[in-house]
Amino acid sequence: MNNSFTLEYHKKELPKKLNIVGLTLFLVGLVIIIFGYIVNPVRTAFNNIILLTFLISLGAGSLFLIAIEYVAGAVWSTPFRRVPEILSFALVIVPIFAVPLFFNLHNVFEWTHPQAFKNDVLMEAKAPYLNTTFFILRSIAFFAVWIFFFILLFKNSVKQDFTKEQLLTKKNIIISAVFLPIFAFSLSFSSFDWLMSLAPHWYSTIFGVYYFAGTVLCALAASTIIIVLLNEKGYFVDGLGGDHYYSLGALMFAFINFWAYIAFSQFLLIWYANLPEETFWFLQRWEGNWKFVSIGLIFVHFVVPYFALLSQPSKMDPKRLLFISIWILFAHIYDLYWMIIPTFSKEGIIFGWIEIGFPLFTLGLLIMLFVLISKKINLVPIGDPKLKRGIDFKL
Amino acid sequence: MNEKRLYSYTGIFNTPNEIIHAAKKIAEKGFKNYDIHTPYPLHGMEKAMKLKPSKIGYVSLVLGLSGAISAILTLFWMAAIDYKLVIGGKPFFSFPAYIPITFEITVLSASVITVLVMLFIFFKLPNNSHPLHATDYMKKVSSDKYGVSIQADDPLFNEEEVKSLLKSLNASDITPIYFNEEEINYKHVLLEPKFVGFLVLVALFTSATTYFTLNKLMYMVPFNWMDEQAKVIPQQPSKIFADGFGMRQPVNGTVARGQIPFLYKNNPDEAAKDLVNPLLPSVENLKLGEQKFNIYCSPCHGYHAEGDSRLQGQFPNPPSLHSEKVRNWSDGRIFYVITEGQNIMPSYATQLTPEERWAVILYIRALQRSLNAKESDLK
Amino acid sequence: MSVVDYSQELSVIEGRPPLRSIDELISKPLDSKPDKKFYIALSITLTMLITGVICLAFTFYYGIGLWGNNNPVGWGFAIINFVFWVGIGHAGTLISAILFLLRQKWRTGIARFAEGMTIFAVMTAGLFPLIHVGRPWLAGYLFPYPNQHSLWPNFISPLLWDVFAVSTYFTVSLVFWYVGLIPDLAVLRERAKTKIKKIVYSIFSLGWRFSNRHWQHYERVYLILAGFATPLVLSVHTIVSFDFAVSILPGWHSTIFPPYFVAGAVFSGFAMVQNVLIFVRKIFNYEHIITVDTLEKMNKIMLVTGSMVGYAYIMEFFIAWYSGVPTETFTFINRAFGPYMWAYWIMFSCNVIFPQLFWIRKIRRNIPAMFVIAVLVNVGMWFERFVIVITSLSRDFLPSSWAYYKPTLVDLGILLGSFGFFFTWILLFTKALPVVSIAEVKAVIDGSQPSHEAD
């Protein structure tokens, strides 16, 4: 059954200078990173984990958003679906950023040192899991799975632009349904690998869910930024805005609360039980001026976005929504910084040119990526049967 | 007076599109006091009627914030100021642990009071005496029709014009609604006998139940056979024994374990002769004797046993223990005095165990020696 | 592969019934006298209830020595049943609040009933702590009022959080339910034939008059209430999970407990709602309002929440091993292969394995099949609480004090009685109030909303 509905859509090219901006940021960042690896490889490697996990958040999170749209049968997000689709392309380049880390595992992960397991009952028990070979194999497997599902979903979606076959939607629904449980486990385990095992003694069953909350927020915020920017300039079709923005804002609001809920649960249970093998992780983040970073996290990641998104107008107004999305994206990086860097610098905050280099690089990379891919495909899934309903969507 | 007055003109529409159209037209005409009645909320009616967005969200925001703040302050006052109690090694003001309760109070105050505000302040309900009640119009709009009611108190109201307006909008059943002056202007009197009677009943009921709960129910024992065991309870009578006493005398001649009976009552000489101090003058014994002497003896005899006590002048002065007489007494004689008392000195048998008495005697001997040292002591 | 037309929105209510027929259909059980079937059902539930009451009376008379609780297992059926019933309530709030926020129109047919179930389930759950404290009339001490001891409750105890959470949850659910009932009571008031009915409905509908000036605020308040009820429902089961998780007992102290308990609660609640609705739609002829599509969507939610619970089981197991803490590792091995292995595998298969059958569309839409699976889900969820409570307690740190817990007949009688209590309320509810929201159903019938051309 084909989709009879046709839509007037004229593809507009993104401005040329965007590519130049992206390239400049990318190159500046690249130089800093290379220089950083020469001057201070340990610190750079830790920053590299922030970059890597951020890109996983962005890519896998966007893929999750696409999958959930298919499975839930949501229509309001269909007109914008290309944005998360392009963002999840990040998954294809993520493995590249894992490579420098694979060569620096020794600098970053305590458990790569054999003496870490000596005379330590707790560590001995996890030796079968925490070892370099298995670690690298797992990482490669997770990347492969994500890229596999990304290609399947992306291909079908792009193909639909031309064939307008409804069968492709059905196929994608099935692929998404299969993807979601796999996503749940692969994301959790990769968060255990890259983030939790930085402090190899520490464990928390909720950690995967905590990282997942941040992941979805990151993908949503990045998508919203691009959607608002492009939609206000008319890169999509007419009739979008208002209620669509509201839905994006409401979803972000929901996940801000979800993140806070999960973060609070994790903190409260560990604080309350006060077991030495758990509390040290939080104590480390309470030492010296890390205390201010920890308190700041509550405000940056919860209080400010919560009150900023609370009222209905702020979810509908593109300018405010844009500002909040940028804020949330920053908050996710802040969260990752808070999770990763205290392991490297136990005494206090460090912030310098290396820390700045990575975000510049990421930003440049994403801009270039977006411009490049948006040249090849339509920015609106014009063949999607749900598109008309999505454009007409009213609360 | 039972005069009927015009309240409004009503018209009925059959489809949602018609009523939206009608609402728009009426709002455009500039009517203010009119209302649309539909069996369920219609999308877009707010815009058609040109209503301002509902402000009730701010009510619940204020209520929620005040609920949160008052909860935190209350918990802080109760646990960290009024009655400090260390629980589980946590600080008095354990903020993370207060979040659950604060959250619940916030939700409770924000949601429940918002509803009350909406019903009783925004809508001014309950209002069963509204003119639209008990009309055919209400029956229809409650079920499957959509109605318009343009009120007579609108400045633009004109019977003929409204009728023709409704007709031009294709409304059916255009009917006027009348109301009874008395009915609408009925004022609730606070001291109405029925209401007062009701209040009295409520008061009686609550005080009775409170009394019963606090004074009876709270002290009711749900099951009590653990209290009624077939055993002797100290100080209680018992039917098992002929004399009715629960507590029994020991068999004659019973000696409690570790107790040596004092057999020299009223017989100081015998005691002086028979009793020998069993303790050696070791440091521990002397220390014990000093301690006990300072506690029990020194108030009268003085710290140095010279009879120069802190209580001098209040009683007949106690004798000095450095007198010739006492120095020549045997240990057994002193033991007798401590045990039985002498003149106004009471017995110290209950305060001092025999062993402690002997220790005190050792200490007294040491004190005596200090004032009457022998030559050999200097070597 | 058969394909649905994704460009069309599916109707929520089948067959575009006239609005007036909705009034008639939904108020029919209230206008007609209860029939024989009703009395048979009521007598069954009352028998169950009376059994429970008798067992309770015995307990009050002889003490809780009649229960199976023993020395290491101080928390037995009472807490299991409490957690189970609180969990059942969660589906109601999920349907009425969360699905409302997500604008899922299919919720309208089932929301009222699910909300009612929430209230009854929370009432049932509330009985158990009262029974367990031994002197229910002293429950007042749990509230911070200036009492004669001039002492305040322990605010950092999760059991006290429970008191606040459950009572708030009950109050807010009741208010939410009542707010939704007001327009329907007004409909009944307009339809009332007898004078007494008219008076009663007039009092409780507060003189509602379907004014759009009211609807405007009403809808906003409904949204706000849904917005509050959503975090509230999460908080309630989160706090219930804190009862266990703040301790340091292996198998209880796990940071995933809060979301895992919430997912489990929604899971079992949906199973219960689905079970009851299958009967309701048949008996009251609501097949076109509570459609198979609606049931299918509920089954999908069960599939999702069941898988979440499965995720939690696996994560707990993995982290217990990964932590390297011997007691943690032992507890989980003991759960799966120890003396309570039967309970663990009942739980695991009923909660994780059987619901996976809902991947198949045919089973999702087959009423007997989904009924059986949902019953199994409830069995499994009850056993989940059993496994959590009993296995962790019966074998804790000190092997010399390990003991096997066995419930007694009195325990089982009280459990049966709780079901009787719950279903008695449900039966009375179906005869006393509209079990489907009249106003909400009318609002989602095709063609009941103005078309965009009217703009």
Side-chain angles (χ1 to χ4, degrees):
Chain A
M1 189 165 38
N2 285 356
N3 184 12
S4 55
F5 152 77
T6 48
L7 178 88
E8 224 166 278
Y9 167 70
H10 303 289
K11 191 167 149 49
K12 267 166 84 176
E13 291 290 325
L14 288 167
K16 285 262 164 12
K17 64 174 184 202
L18 209 57
N19 224 342
I20 299 165
V21 174
L23 191 66
T24 323
L25 288 172
F26 177 79
L27 288 177
V28 171
L30 191 67
V31 169
I32 295 177
I33 291 170
I34 292 171
F35 199 58
Y37 261 116
I38 295 166
V39 177
N40 192 343
V42 181
R43 183 168 165 183
T44 316
F46 271 98
N47 275 294
N48 199 342
I49 300 183
I50 301 185
L51 167 70
L52 180 75
T53 45
F54 176 76
L55 284 177
I56 292 176
S57 295
L58 193 69
S62 302
L63 202 56
F64 171 77
L65 290 180
I66 299 162
I68 209 83
E69 183 204 304
Y70 275 117
V71 172
V75 293
W76 62 268
S77 57
T78 307
F80 311 122
R81 203 184 56 234
R82 278 294 136 79
V83 175
E85 272 172 2
I86 295 172
L87 284 178
S88 56
F89 203 90
L91 285 174
V92 180
I93 46 170
V94 166
I96 301 168
F97 301 107
V99 174
L101 279 172
F102 286 150
F103 291 106
N104 277 296
L105 286 181
H106 215 59
N107 288 334
V108 181
F109 292 107
E110 193 192 327
W111 49 262
T112 50
H113 301 249
Q115 65 264 35
F117 293 92
K118 257 184 207 151
N119 302 325
D120 192 332
V121 185
L122 297 183
M123 287 296 290
E124 270 169 20
K126 21 188 131 173
Y129 185 79
L130 290 182
N131 58 64
T132 318
T133 330
F134 192 27
F135 180 88
I136 293 175
L137 279 178
R138 275 199 307 270
S139 307
I140 291 171
F142 294 150
F143 290 139
V145 166
W146 293 334
I147 292 170
F148 173 70
F149 278 101
F150 161 70
I151 290 171
L152 284 182
L153 286 172
F154 190 73
K155 249 190 169 174
N156 281 339
S157 174
V158 174
K159 200 168 145 200
Q160 204 174 34
D161 279 8
F162 307 104
T163 62
K164 303 202 167 185
E165 252 184 301
Q166 299 224 18
L167 186 67
L168 290 167
T169 303
K170 168 118 188 167
K171 270 186 186 163
N172 267 0
I173 290 175
I174 294 169
I175 295 166
S176 304
V178 176
F179 169 68
L180 286 174
I182 294 173
F183 167 79
F185 283 102
S186 56
L187 193 80
S188 301
F189 279 100
S190 63
S191 76
F192 294 163
D193 284 354
W194 290 109
L195 298 171
M196 203 163 89
S197 78
L198 282 169
H201 283 98
W202 192 66
Y203 59 90
S204 170
T205 32
I206 209 175
F207 195 78
V209 185
Y210 178 79
Y211 179 62
F212 162 75
T215 295
V216 176
L217 271 178
C218 171
L220 254 178
S223 301
T224 310
I225 294 169
I226 298 172
I227 288 166
V228 173
L229 283 175
L230 292 185
N231 193 35
E232 291 304 304
K233 297 256 164 64
Y235 283 91
F236 298 124
V237 285
D238 288 343
L240 303 176
D243 288 348
H244 296 87
Y245 288 161
Y246 178 83
S247 302
L248 282 168
L251 207 55
M252 269 197 282
F253 184 66
F255 270 93
I256 280 290
N257 283 303
F258 181 67
W259 178 88
Y261 165 61
I262 297 295
F264 174 71
S265 299
Q266 173 169 280
F267 170 73
L268 182 87
L269 292 178
I270 289 175
W271 171 83
Y272 204 115
N274 211 5
L275 291 173
E277 61 261 35
E278 291 180 341
T279 35
F280 79 92
W281 198 80
F282 281 104
L283 284 176
Q284 232 171 44
R285 280 149 188 76
W286 202 248
E287 214 133 278
N289 46 18
W290 281 120
K291 193 185 251 183
F292 304 110
V293 180
S294 299
I295 295 171
L297 183 68
I298 302 169
F299 286 90
V300 171
H301 213 309
F302 174 62
V303 179
V304 172
Y306 177 86
F307 283 102
L309 277 171
L310 187 61
S311 75
Q312 198 170 359
S314 68
K315 290 173 199 143
M316 287 181 152
D317 179 35
K319 272 189 197 135
R320 283 158 82 177
L321 193 64
L322 184 66
F323 172 76
I324 298 164
S325 318
I326 294 171
W327 180 284
I328 291 174
L329 203 62
F330 165 72
H332 183 61
I333 298 175
Y334 187 101
D335 188 20
L336 290 172
Y337 178 82
W338 176 79
M339 280 193 276
I340 294 165
I341 300 298
T343 314
F344 167 65
S345 159
K346 292 197 171 59
E347 301 76 34
I349 310 169
I350 44 160
F351 191 78
W353 53 274
I354 298 180
E355 277 73 25
I356 294 171
F358 277 92
L360 292 183
F361 175 77
T362 321
L363 193 63
L365 179 84
L366 288 176
I367 291 173
M368 277 168 49
L369 188 79
F370 198 88
V371 172
L372 193 75
I373 298 166
S374 63
K375 258 185 207 156
K376 303 224 168 100
I377 58 171
N378 292 324
L379 279 174
V380 174
I382 47 172
D384 196 295
K386 294 190 293 186
L387 185 62
K388 174 87 174 69
R389 277 166 69 197
I391 295 169
D392 291 343
F393 171 77
K394 286 270 173 321
L395 284 173
Chain B
M1 275 284 279
N2 212 5
E3 200 192 336
K4 294 272 184 191
R5 291 185 39 175
L6 184 64
Y7 172 72
S8 71
Y9 256 91
T10 59
I12 293 286
F13 297 86
N14 285 321
T15 65
N17 283 352
E18 278 173 20
I19 190 77
I20 290 271
H21 177 72
K24 260 186 199 158
K25 281 276 152 7
I26 293 166
E28 274 167 17
K29 288 256 177 205
F31 282 100
K32 290 273 174 296
N33 297 347
Y34 70 98
D35 210 341
I36 309 282
H37 298 91
T38 53
Y40 52 85
L42 287 178
H43 292 182
M45 185 53 95
E46 213 173 302
K47 224 161 72 187
M49 285 173 77
K50 294 189 175 148
L51 298 176
K52 282 182 205 136
S54 174
K55 291 267 180 266
I56 201 155
Y58 295 100
V59 174
S60 55
L61 181 69
V62 170
L63 287 168
L65 284 177
S66 46
I69 291 166
S70 51
I72 282 282
L73 289 179
T74 315
L75 293 181
F76 171 63
W77 179 78
M78 286 175 178
I81 294 177
D82 188 46
Y83 204 114
K84 291 179 185 173
L85 210 55
V86 178
I87 298 159
K90 299 277 182 277
F92 294 125
F93 182 64
S94 302
F95 184 67
Y98 292 165
I99 289 176
I101 290 183
T102 308
F103 174 79
E104 302 299 332
I105 303 280
T106 310
V107 168
L108 189 67
S109 51
S111 53
V112 174
I113 305 178
T114 306
V115 168
L116 297 181
V117 166
M118 171 185 83
L119 290 177
F120 300 123
I121 297 177
F122 275 57
F123 297 173
K124 299 190 175 61
L125 297 179
N127 183 357
N128 273 310
S129 56
H130 193 273
L132 286 175
H133 282 310
T135 57
D136 260 1
Y137 174 76
M138 184 53 56
K139 266 213 166 74
K140 281 177 188 150
V141 299
S142 77
S143 175
D144 57 350
K145 297 281 191 274
Y146 312 89
V148 173
S149 151
I150 301 175
Q151 279 154 242
D153 53 2
D154 193 280
L156 295 177
F157 188 83
N158 177 313
E159 223 175 308
E160 290 312 309
E161 269 179 31
V162 167
K163 247 196 235 173
S164 61
L165 172 68
L166 288 174
K167 232 174 236 155
S168 72
L169 293 168
N170 280 333
S172 58
D173 297 344
I174 301 169
T175 37
I177 302 277
Y178 293 99
F179 71 106
N180 199 326
E181 185 89 22
E182 275 169 24
E183 194 185 333
I184 197 82
N185 287 331
Y186 177 79
K187 289 261 180 328
H188 290 283
V189 188
L190 203 62
L191 293 176
E192 205 180 356
K194 262 188 203 166
F195 185 63
V196 173
F198 175 71
L199 283 187
V200 168
L201 274 181
V202 169
L204 277 178
F205 178 75
T206 23
S207 37
T209 39
T210 314
Y211 177 82
F212 179 69
T213 320
L214 292 181
N215 293 295
K216 302 282 174 232
L217 204 57
M218 292 273 236
Y219 301 103
M220 236 163 69
V221 187
F223 44 88
N224 58 357
W225 65 85
M226 287 274 269
D227 286 345
E228 292 176 355
Q229 292 173 25
K231 68 169 186 188
V232 173
I233 299 158
Q235 317 286 346
Q236 294 293 317
S238 167
K239 284 174 194 158
I240 298 169
F241 301 106
D243 59 359
F245 285 104
M247 295 173 87
R248 309 308 301 161
Q249 296 279 349
V251 178
N252 280 339
T254 308
V255 176
R257 207 187 159 107
Q259 192 194 332
I260 301 158
F262 185 69
L263 302 170
Y264 306 99
K265 208 172 165 75
N266 300 324
N267 205 353
D269 298 335
E270 287 282 307
K273 224 172 18 182
D274 294 358
L275 292 175
V276 181
N277 195 339
L279 299 185
L280 290 172
S282 65
V283 179
E284 292 90 60
N285 290 336
L286 282 166
K287 276 257 160 72
L288 177 68
E290 179 189 9
Q291 189 198 7
K292 295 295 165 188
F293 181 87
N294 287 345
I295 292 169
Y296 295 108
C297 313
S298 73
C300 295
H301 292 288
Y303 285 115
H304 304 293
E306 289 170 317
D308 54 344
S309 75
R310 321 195 266 292
L311 299 174
Q312 229 172 9
Q314 298 189 36
F315 304 100
N317 278 351
S320 162
L321 299 183
H322 297 285
S323 65
E324 190 81 28
K325 183 176 111 188
V326 181
R327 267 191 289 145
N328 290 336
W329 271 359
S330 73
D331 287 357
R333 185 68 178 80
I334 302 178
F335 189 86
Y336 173 83
V337 173
I338 300 175
T339 313
E340 288 294 319
Q342 192 174 18
N343 302 331
I344 67 162
M345 173 174 162
S347 156
Y348 279 82
T350 50
Q351 287 96 323
L352 295 168
T353 63
E355 197 181 321
E356 283 164 356
R357 280 173 239 159
W358 290 119
V360 168
I361 292 165
L362 280 180
Y363 184 65
I364 290 172
R365 291 289 183 221
L367 284 176
Q368 286 171 344
R369 246 341 225 293
S370 67
L371 284 188
N372 287 288
K374 290 172 197 158
E375 229 168 280
S376 58
D377 294 342
L378 294 169
K379 285 175 188 169
Chain C
M1 227 188 288
S2 70
V3 175
V4 197
D5 186 4
Y6 294 103
S7 59
Q8 296 300 319
E9 198 178 347
L10 291 172
S11 345
V12 180
I13 310 295
E14 270 170 21
R16 204 168 176 166
L19 297 181
R20 183 169 286 278
S21 74
I22 299 287
D23 289 353
E24 276 156 18
L25 189 67
I26 294 173
S27 57
K28 198 175 148 211
L30 312 180
D31 294 340
S32 58
K33 278 230 163 78
D35 56 0
K36 215 193 222 163
K37 271 187 273 176
F38 178 79
Y39 284 116
I40 293 172
L42 193 65
S43 58
I44 293 171
T45 61
L46 278 177
T47 315
M48 285 156 70
L49 177 59
I50 289 165
T51 318
V53 170
I54 290 169
C55 288
L56 259 186
F58 273 117
T59 307
F60 277 129
Y61 193 74
Y62 290 106
I64 54 167
L66 289 183
W67 294 355
N69 299 17
N70 56 30
N71 208 339
V73 188
W75 271 8
F77 262 40
I79 192 96
I80 298 171
N81 295 342
F82 167 71
V83 181
F84 175 75
W85 281 112
V86 171
I88 294 291
H90 280 43
T93 322
L94 186 105
I95 291 168
S96 56
I98 300 180
L99 296 183
F100 179 78
L101 292 180
L102 295 175
R103 324 268 166 186
Q104 299 290 318
K105 286 181 188 162
W106 57 272
R107 68 174 269 287
T108 50
I110 56 176
R112 167 71 45 72
F113 204 89
E115 285 165 37
M117 284 178 65
T118 296
I119 291 164
F120 305 139
V122 174
M123 279 160 60
T124 318
L127 292 177
F128 286 98
L130 283 182
I131 296 167
H132 209 185
V133 295
R135 285 166 177 68
W137 52 92
L138 297 181
Y141 287 147
L142 290 166
F143 292 95
Y145 72 99
N147 56 29
Q148 68 270 41
H149 312 300
S150 60
L151 190 66
W152 305 109
N154 176 8
F155 292 113
I156 68 172
S157 158
L159 296 175
L160 190 77
W161 303 345
D162 262 349
V163 174
F164 278 86
V166 175
S167 51
T168 302
Y169 184 41
F170 180 72
T171 318
V172 173
S173 301
L174 200 65
V175 167
F176 199 35
W177 193 50
Y178 181 63
V179 169
L181 266 170
I182 293 174
D184 288 6
L185 291 171
V187 172
L188 295 174
R189 176 194 68 207
E190 295 302 319
R191 293 176 55 86
K193 298 279 183 325
T194 64
K195 206 178 169 199
I196 296 170
K197 269 192 178 173
K198 182 115 191 157
I199 290 172
V200 171
Y201 288 136
S202 295
I203 290 172
F204 285 101
S205 66
L206 301 173
W208 180 262
R209 51 181 191 274
F210 303 97
S211 156
N212 268 282
R213 289 177 191 274
H214 290 180
W215 278 127
Q216 183 209 5
H217 296 298
Y218 178 90
E219 280 199 290
R220 176 47 64 95
V221 164
Y222 208 76
L223 188 72
I224 290 170
L225 274 183
F228 279 121
T230 304
L232 178 67
V233 71
L234 293 188
S235 82
V236 172
H237 229 65
T238 297
I239 288 173
V240 169
S241 81
F242 285 165
D243 289 351
F244 303 98
V246 297
S247 71
I248 54 166
L249 202 66
W252 284 8
H253 178 66
S254 175
T255 47
I256 207 170
F257 258 39
Y260 152 49
F261 264 52
V262 172
V266 171
F267 182 44
S268 66
F270 260 79
M272 188 66 101
V273 173
Q274 186 241 54
N275 272 349
V276 178
L277 281 180
I278 284 174
F279 288 104
V280 167
R281 71 193 284 273
K282 187 90 201 140
I283 291 168
F284 296 130
N285 298 320
Y286 292 163
E287 275 111 333
H288 61 297
I289 297 175
I290 305 168
T291 57
V292 177
D293 286 335
T294 304
L295 294 176
E296 187 191 355
K297 287 192 173 102
M298 296 180 72
N299 294 338
K300 280 184 183 168
I301 290 186
M302 277 197 264
L303 175 60
V304 171
T305 47
S307 306
M308 284 182 190
V309 170
Y311 169 89
Y313 292 158
I314 292 167
M315 263 321 137
E316 270 193 318
F317 236 100
F318 172 72
I319 293 288
W321 172 80
Y322 174 87
S323 75
V325 180
T327 46
E328 285 280 344
T329 318
F330 167 77
T331 303
F332 280 90
I333 302 235
N334 178 47
R335 258 184 202 179
F337 305 107
Y340 287 105
M341 154 177 193
W342 54 274
Y344 184 85
W345 291 106
I346 289 177
M347 164 191 107
F348 198 88
S349 53
C350 288
N351 288 349
V352 184
I353 296 169
F354 293 133
Q356 302 302 325
L357 289 171
F358 282 143
W359 282 99
I360 302 159
R361 187 164 185 268
K362 267 207 179 125
I363 293 179
R364 247 180 3 230
R365 297 181 70 89
N366 180 322
I367 288 174
M370 69 168 99
F371 181 79
V372 171
I373 293 175
V375 169
L376 286 177
V377 165
N378 265 322
V379 172
M381 283 309 294
W382 190 88
F383 271 98
E384 180 191 300
R385 280 66 179 245
F386 181 87
V387 166
I388 291 172
V389 173
I390 305 299
T391 58
S392 277
L393 282 174
S394 74
R395 290 192 162 184
D396 56 2
F397 298 105
L398 201 63
S400 62
S401 59
W402 288 357
Y404 192 80
Y405 169 86
K406 247 189 289 177
T408 59
L409 277 180
V410 176
D411 278 324
L412 296 171
I414 293 174
L415 175 61
L416 189 74
S418 72
F419 276 90
F421 185 75
F422 177 74
F423 284 111
T424 308
W425 278 106
I426 296 256
L427 282 173
L428 295 178
F429 170 49
T430 58
K431 276 287 166 193
L433 289 166
V435 293
V436 173
S437 172
I438 300 172
E440 284 189 3
V441 165
K442 279 181 187 167
V444 296
I445 291 179
D446 291 344
S448 69
Q449 290 296 346
S451 53
H452 290 298
E453 286 76 49
D455 285 350

